[in-house]
Amino acid sequence: MEIFKGMEAYDYEQLVFCQDKNSGLKAVIAIHDTTLGPALGGTRMWTYDSEEEAIIDAMRLAKGMTYKNAAAGLNLGGGKTVIIGDPRKDKNPEMFRTFGRYIQSLNGRYITAEDVGTTVEDMDLIHMETDYVTGISPEFGSSGNPSPVTAYGVYKGMKAAALEAYGDDSLEGKTIAVQGIGNVAYKLCEYLHEEGAKLIVTDINKAAVNRAVEAFDAKAVDPNDIYDVECDIYAPCALGATINDDTVSRIKAKVVAGSANNQLKTTEHGDILFEKGIVYAPDYVINAGGVINVADELNGYNQSRAMKKVEGIYDSLVRVFEISKRDNIPSYLAADRMAEERIESMKKSRGQFLQNGLHTLSRR
């Protein structure tokens, strides 16, 4: 892998390689862009097949965080860490404390949080060495479990998508097919049920399905049948890439809006949704409630303030749909364009500021 060529292609600012023989730490911190502010992104621990795969994953995820944070209106850039190892057996306190010291050495350029394979307890260990970490235990001033906040953001985003598709953001009487009933989706179902939506649910976990059926008077279907149901909104809330060659033609809903990451298997599937006239709420915009919530910790966490910011996901999606119509492009591209416009605006503003400053100095 030609690292600098890869960094140059998508304008990455920095890669940091962290190693500690005693604790077994092998980590890669990728900082993509800090135009809007310090890079914020979680720490993932995974058993990669190669070091190259780990580097590529860190870079891909860091770039995604740049767009997610920019689209959410946060004054934060994008970064990500991957730790190479099995989170079930390779963890130890020294590993995360050592990693915390690496983060501290970056002097605030990068702020981390939990991600796949890491926990609140791991973040607490990092916090022993640095303040540049979010998602720590509530007793340290953290926001706690992010699932309810993420769900609230998805709920608000779904209403914005309904407004675009139906001319009214009310979900009362709408039939919504929810794929996956994890922590976020269950809380989302609560919001939808309270508004009077009719729910169709599925999950490989039968207990989760039964719980939703009993609590929300939902109808249950087999996992593979969720794509074929008659519904107004399809809400992918489980694994990614569920909108693919096998499913995209089966979706009967006029709206796709859910909490899952990487819902489109490829961008071509986003193009197909656009051509079919289906309103798609880009995943990194609609599911940004969690990152908005942890970002509020940087100012001393205030729940009501954080929830108010999460409500802004509604307006962000309205803006995405406006750009989609303005430029006649699919909404996934419109979301990218919205994030890029915000970053470019800041770059121009800073460039003008520096130019004015130099002009002032030259006149002295």
Side-chain angles (χ1 to χ4, degrees):
M1 177 184 180
E2 296 185 59
I3 290 177
F4 279 107
K5 185 172 286 188
M7 292 178 71
E8 185 179 11
Y10 295 101
D11 204 16
Y12 285 82
E13 293 180 7
Q14 190 173 11
L15 281 179
V16 181
F17 295 87
C18 312
Q19 185 279 142
D20 181 63
K21 185 176 180 180
N22 291 329
S23 66
L25 174 70
K26 292 183 176 65
V28 181
I29 302 172
I31 297 175
H32 176 245
D33 189 287
T34 59
T35 301
L36 297 176
L40 173 66
T43 293
R44 176 170 297 193
M45 187 169 185
W46 196 252
T47 51
Y48 294 94
D49 292 333
S50 67
E51 292 176 0
E52 181 176 346
E53 184 184 30
I55 295 168
I56 291 170
D57 198 33
M59 293 175 70
R60 176 183 64 84
L61 293 166
K63 183 171 181 283
M65 288 306 302
T66 294
Y67 281 76
K68 188 168 194 168
N69 292 337
L74 299 174
N75 294 318
L76 293 164
K80 205 78 171 187
T81 294
V82 298
I83 296 176
I84 301 172
D86 188 336
R88 295 168 297 181
K89 62 182 182 180
D90 293 334
K91 287 184 180 182
N92 58 74
E94 292 76 18
M95 173 183 288
F96 288 96
R97 290 195 63 174
T98 300
F99 178 57
R101 292 195 289 274
Y102 276 108
I103 293 175
Q104 181 64 25
S105 72
L106 293 172
N107 295 315
R109 275 181 54 78
Y110 170 66
I111 302 162
T112 198
E114 70 178 277
D115 200 276
V116 175
T118 60
T119 65
V120 172
E121 290 74 24
D122 299 330
M123 298 304 108
D124 287 347
L125 290 167
I126 292 172
H127 181 56
M128 294 176 73
E129 303 292 340
T130 183
D131 289 330
Y132 301 120
V133 56
T134 61
I136 52 181
S137 294
E139 52 263 37
F140 296 125
S142 168
S143 56
N145 180 10
S147 295
V149 186
T150 302
Y152 183 63
V154 174
Y155 166 65
K156 285 292 186 180
M158 189 179 288
K159 288 176 72 67
L163 175 65
E164 179 66 17
Y166 298 106
D168 187 334
D169 71 2
S170 174
L171 301 177
E172 184 177 3
K174 294 284 191 296
T175 299
I176 302 172
V178 182
Q179 180 194 48
I181 309 294
N183 292 332
V184 173
Y186 186 85
K187 186 64 181 178
L188 172 63
C189 286
E190 280 189 11
Y191 287 120
L192 300 175
H193 180 66
E194 287 172 5
E195 190 166 332
K198 301 172 185 176
L199 298 175
I200 302 173
V201 299
T202 195
D203 197 295
I204 58 173
N205 183 337
K206 297 297 183 185
V209 171
N210 293 337
R211 183 182 176 211
V213 168
E214 292 176 11
F216 311 123
D217 194 28
K219 175 185 175 183
V221 298
D222 288 336
N224 192 50
D225 294 337
I226 195 71
Y227 309 103
D228 302 305
V229 301
E230 295 287 345
C231 62
D232 300 298
I233 299 172
Y234 165 59
C237 298
L239 298 174
T242 61
I243 301 170
N244 52 52
D245 287 341
D246 296 328
T247 64
V248 71
S249 62
R250 295 161 60 186
I251 296 171
K252 298 176 173 62
K254 289 181 67 175
V255 171
V256 173
S259 65
N261 289 310
N262 305 314
Q263 296 168 21
L264 306 174
K265 185 170 184 180
T266 70
T267 57
E268 290 178 3
H269 299 109
D271 296 335
I272 294 171
L273 292 180
F274 181 64
E275 291 163 5
K276 293 178 67 176
I278 295 174
V279 174
Y280 168 59
D283 44 36
Y284 72 77
V285 180
I286 196 172
N287 68 13
V291 71
I292 293 171
N293 193 52
V294 297
D296 194 76
E297 294 178 20
L298 303 175
N299 301 311
Y301 185 67
N302 180 291
Q303 185 179 33
S304 60
R305 180 180 62 201
M307 295 298 275
K308 188 70 176 176
K309 291 177 183 176
V310 171
E311 288 179 3
I313 288 173
Y314 184 106
D315 295 328
S316 293
L317 279 167
V318 168
R319 174 65 176 148
V320 166
F321 301 138
E322 286 174 349
I323 294 172
S324 176
K325 287 182 289 190
R326 179 193 76 189
D327 299 346
N328 193 32
I329 57 174
S331 57
Y332 75 88
L333 278 178
D336 287 355
R337 194 158 293 180
M338 180 177 73
E340 289 163 358
E341 286 176 358
R342 185 162 180 253
I343 293 168
E344 285 305 310
S345 177
M346 179 59 72
K347 284 182 178 178
K348 289 178 181 177
S349 176
R350 287 183 176 175
Q352 188 63 46
F353 177 80
L354 289 172
Q355 187 177 16
N356 290 343
L358 290 171
H359 180 66
T360 301
L361 287 172
S362 68
R363 294 175 60 188
R364 290 181 177 177

